[in-house]
Every structure is written in C-alpha cells, then in structure tokens.
Amino acid sequence: MVRTYQQYGFLSNIRANYFATRLDATMTLVFSGLILWVFWNLLNWGALNAVWSAENRDLCVGGGKGACWAVIDARWRLIMFGLYPYEEQWRSAIACIVMVGVGILSCVPWFWNAKRISVLWISGFLIFYVLMRGGFFGLTPVFEQNWGGLSLTIFIFASVSLIGMPLAIMFALLRRSELPWIARTMGLIIDIFRSLPLLAIMFTFAIVLPFVLPGWMIGDKLYRVIFGYALFFACYQAEILRGGIQALPAGQEEAAKALGMSYWHRIGYIVLPQAFRNALPPTINQFVITFKETSLVVVIGFFEILASGNAAFGTSEWSFAHVEVYFFVGLIYFIFVFALSRYGAHLERRLAVADR
Amino acid sequence: MAQATAVNIQNMDKYYGSFQALKNINLSVDKGERIVVCGPSGSGKSTLIRCINKLEDYHSGSINVLDTALDDNLDNIDAIRRETGMVFQHFNLFPHLTILENCTLAPMLVRKQSQAEAEEIAMEYLTKVKIPDQAEKYPGQLSGGQQQRVAIARALCMKPQIMLFDEPTSALDPEMISEVLDVMVSLANEGMTMICVTHEMGFARQVADRVIFMADGQVVEEAEPQTFFDNPQHERTKAFLSQILGH
C-alpha cells in the first residue's frame, strides 16, 4: 500500500498534537495535571488507604482517609438479595445467573430464530420462577414481596423488555394502520402513556388497579407493576420503531407486494428487520434507560438492588458508609449497562456489513 | 396461434384527490406481446403500469389480468401479483438480504418452495442475467446495472407470466444501460409478455410489438414501432419524438 501521509515519530507526534503553541502546551499541562490529581486521590481513597475487611466497623471509622470496603464484605448479601430469606439466598443467586445466562445466550446469532429464542426465554423464566418462588420440588415458598436485590432488578428488566417489545411492535403497526381511526386511537393511547410519569403509572397499576379489576385478574403487585412498566416501555419503543419504519423507502414494501408477499410476510421479513436496524441506537438507549429505571419500583415497596443498598447502610452501625455502598451498586449497574452498550455497538458494526 | 388476453383494461380512470391522473384508459395486451409505453414525465405511464398489479388503486372502469378481475378481493390481488413480476426504476432490492436471499425469499414464502429448490431456480436466473458469482453479496456491494439485473432475476424466480418494467434504465449510469437492456431483449425473445415503461427508443424499435404514447393521463397514440417512429400521426407524438430523438 502507498502511504499518502507523512509518518512522524512518537515524540514529534505528541509535540505536533499537544504542544504546538504556547496555549496548547499550557492547556495540556493543566488538564493532564488535573486528571492525574483526580485519579491519584481516587486511587488513594479507593485502594491504597482503603480498609478491605474488618472485624467490626470501629476499625473502619478510625481511619477516615480511605474507603471502608468492609461494609461490602459485611453487607453484600443484603445488597445482592434484599429481603430474600438468608438460608435460601443460593436460589436467588442461581436464578440471577440463569437470567443473565439467558440474556447472554440470546446475543448469540445461533438463537436468532423464533423457535430457539422462545424456548430459551420460556425455560429461562420457568427456572427463574421455580427457584425464586419455590413451592415446587420441596423448595420453601418465598413470596414476591420478599424478592429483592440484583435478581429482582434483572427479573423486572427482562420481563419488561420481553412483554414490552412485542407490544411495541404491535403499537407501531397499529399506529401506521391504513384505517385512520385505528391509527389515531393508537396515537392517542401512546401520547397519553408518554405524558404520564413512570412513577404515577407504577403507582396506579400497583395500588389502584385492584379496585377496578375483577379478582382473578389482579395477580401479585409485582406483576401489575411489571405490566404497567411494559406498557410504558412499549409506548416509547413503538415510536422508536415507527421512526425506523418510516425511514424505509416506499419501494421496499412495493417490491414485496409486487412479489405477492402477504402483509405479515412483508412486515416480518422486509419491514421489521430493516426498521430494527435503523432504530438500533435509540433502541439500545431505551433498554439502558429501562434497566436503570427499574429502581423506581422502590416506591411501591420492592427492594431491588438500589433499595437493598440503601438498607445495607441504613443501620446505625454502617450509616457512615453510604458512599462505598453506592459505589458498589453503581459498579453493578455499570457492568450491565456498559455490556449492553458495547453489545449494541457490536451489533451496529455487524449489521453495517450489508450497508456498504 | 390462438391468442389469449394477458391484460385487459377498460374505461379506467384514476384520481389523486381531485387531479385525474388517468383518463378513460383502454388497453388490451395479448399473451406473448411486448408493449412499450412512452410519453413525457407526468403523463401517467408509471401510474398506469402500477395499476396493473394494484400498487395503485384505480377508481372506475375495470382491469382484468390473466382472466382474473383486479378488484378489492385480496385473493384476486394476491393471485395476480404472483403471476406478475415487476422491475422498478430504483431496483428496490432488499438491502438486508444477500442477492441469493433476495431471489429465494418470495418463492419460498409465496410459492412454498423448499430452500434447495428456490436456490436452484435462483442460481439458474442469476446465471441468465450473468451474475451468479455475486450471489452471496449484498445489494449495496453491486453496481446499479448489476442490481437491476438482480431485480429482474428476483422477479423471474416467481415464474411470472407477465413482466412489468417501470423505467428500468432511468436511474442507471449510461454505460450500464445496455447490460440491462440485453437481459430484457433476451427475455422478450423467449416470448415473455412484457409491458415496459421506458425512454429507450432503440429497445422499443427492436422488440416492441406495439408502442403506446401517453400524454396528460391519456393514450394518445398506439401503433407498431415502424409506423410509430416513421410516421407518427399526432402532434404531441411528433413533438415528443423530435425531442427525444432529436439529438
């Protein structure tokens, strides 16, 4: 290959890019100094001066200069499992791992057909439910009210996405219906749901719904909240998908029609695959927001991971250690959301092959 | 030879809102006949051809395709579309599918062919349009001329009895027009019923049985190519031909 640009050495590159003028040099020095200072302090606080484990809190409180990771050591089971009974927490751990495993497996292209993906998710949810709820195979029953921590967060996120996505597709298609009254009604429903705060929706589904529904339809509070959240998710995602569909040239559907393909074939094989690809960045965005907003279920009394974290430093013994606990919980959120974002970026690169 | 009618359009009108796009169209096309439709832009020629497989609705009159009435009956529409292939100005290949998948999708879904069977037929037609080696690529990796040949192959894979061409060469770079026209000529020579909206007058001279000239939503003149080009009757036709052939 012919190189069309002049290659510089490492040092002359640095000089050219960061020290070209006096202003450049000053800014480089000031900002790199600032960054170093912040990182040095973080390192000191988080690692060098930190107390990693302690027999009791007093060993921690004395130092005061570093982080007290001993709180995580002492309270991690409360953070990870919430109110779930102590002796049964292994079930919650396995359920959590199963759910994450199902999530990871569904990123593998081999599972990308209707049959495999539904078998995967249905068995994933079944295993999760049997483990968490118990009452089968000699497992002690644990009611939904006592579920908590990371497995609850993941369960809510997975259920909302799984109920919400098919609803979103349905909403988006109805919104584009050729019959004006269907399209307008759907548009109105979407606009109403989007105008309400998520908190109000969760509250309504948890507290108000039992008064207006027949008894057999009520179900546990947890499932009502999940359903309300899924509707909320679906309304946003439907608009994202509609954007993806509208970005398609009219010729795509016309070509499919001209080949004699039916409505559902056109939607399933031509429109949706391309719409999802067009809408991939905002869809990943929507998943990220959905994951983080699971923490709102705390208002109706569920101990998902952030609420369990609050409980972990809620005793007088550990009340000084809230920064460390939030740091830990934040790290867990970060791992999930960052992995999701990177997977989104990977998908974009993969799908871009066809766009060359 | 006993000729059967492939397409029969009678007294057909079409409106866009209050604008009348097609006025009292009468057109009968026999099986095996090659028709070229030409005319200035906005004359309704694309609209006409798109009415034949109901990509556009018409408002009065009647259309019969292969003795099936093209009305609001969805079964009839599907039946007609299965037998009618269409090639578009902008190719309209499915960008998320490979060339081979573009060709096999509809036969598998609509004709219920097995994958092996559909792929065999697809490769046969891709060979015919001279791009079997591109089968695994995506449309975006092909040139315009290649894409249009794939679009023709995709339509042929459904084994249609009628082919509709809607300005198939208008979006192509000049040096790619002939490769597409060659495919269309060979298709015509095999006896395919063809209705082509095109400005390629050389193609019309060479293969058309009849040339139809449209202006302002009406059929102005209809003649064999010899007569049409050498002795046009109508003022509008003369003006159009002098513009399109004049330089």
Side-chain angles (χ1 to χ4, degrees), chain B residues 33-50:
Chain B
E33 209 179 359
R34 277 90 57 173
I35 305 287
V36 163
V37 184
C38 60
S41 70
S43 60
K45 52 195 192 306
S46 279
T47 308
L48 171 63
I49 198 174
R50 286 160 59 87

Side-chain angles (χ1 to χ4, degrees), chain B residues 202-222:
Chain B
F203 173 80
R205 247 184 221 279
Q206 195 183 341
V207 305
D209 294 313
R210 240 187 314 158
V211 179
I212 290 178
F213 176 72
M214 288 182 70
D216 300 326
Q218 285 169 304
V219 175
V220 173
E221 189 157 348
E222 187 177 341

